[in-house]
Structure formats: C-alpha cells, structure tokens
Amino acid sequence: MGSTADLRGQITLAEAQVERLRAQVAAFQVVPEYERLKDRADQVSRRIKQLAQEDVIDQHNLEEL
C-alpha cells in the first residue's frame, strides 16, 4: 500500500484518464456511410427472406403438379 501522497497522485492520474475517455466517447461518431450501408443490408435481408418464402411456395406448387 502506498502513502497518502502516492494514492492522491494515482487518483489524479486516473481522473485525468477518465476525462480523456469521456471526451473521446463524446466526440465519437459513426461514419455517415454506415446508415446507408445498414439500410442497404436491411433491404437485402428482406429480399432474401421474401425469395425464401417464394421458394417454399414454388416447391409446394411443384409437388402439387
């Protein structure tokens, strides 16, 4: 265990690091292209699900022939 002065120094350093991290988090931004890519991925995902459903229907229809 360190002296009181050592502990105060460590606390001061830790507090400074916390403030730096807070500033970094506050300034964090997702790249603007992310939203466009996310929207496109959602569209593709919906289309894949739609095609899979259509495939099931087509398979059922083929079995009925």
Side-chain angles (χ1 to χ4, degrees):
M1 195 130 182
S3 69
T4 303
D6 289 340
L7 293 175
R8 283 188 183 134
Q10 289 177 9
I11 290 171
T12 300
L13 290 174
E15 288 172 341
Q17 183 177 13
V18 166
E19 287 307 314
R20 283 193 302 275
L21 291 172
R22 280 188 180 144
Q24 288 176 1
V25 168
F28 178 78
Q29 293 180 335
V30 175
V31 292
E33 188 175 356
Y34 171 80
E35 287 299 324
R36 185 183 65 78
L37 292 173
K38 180 183 170 297
D39 290 343
R40 181 67 179 131
D42 290 344
Q43 289 173 355
V44 169
S45 180
R46 283 191 299 272
R47 182 67 175 139
I48 289 170
K49 288 177 185 176
Q50 178 186 7
L51 291 171
Q53 289 173 346
E54 291 173 5
D55 189 45
V56 169
I57 293 169
D58 290 344
Q59 290 293 329
H60 179 72
N61 290 338
L62 283 174
E63 291 172 5
E64 294 293 318
L65 292 178

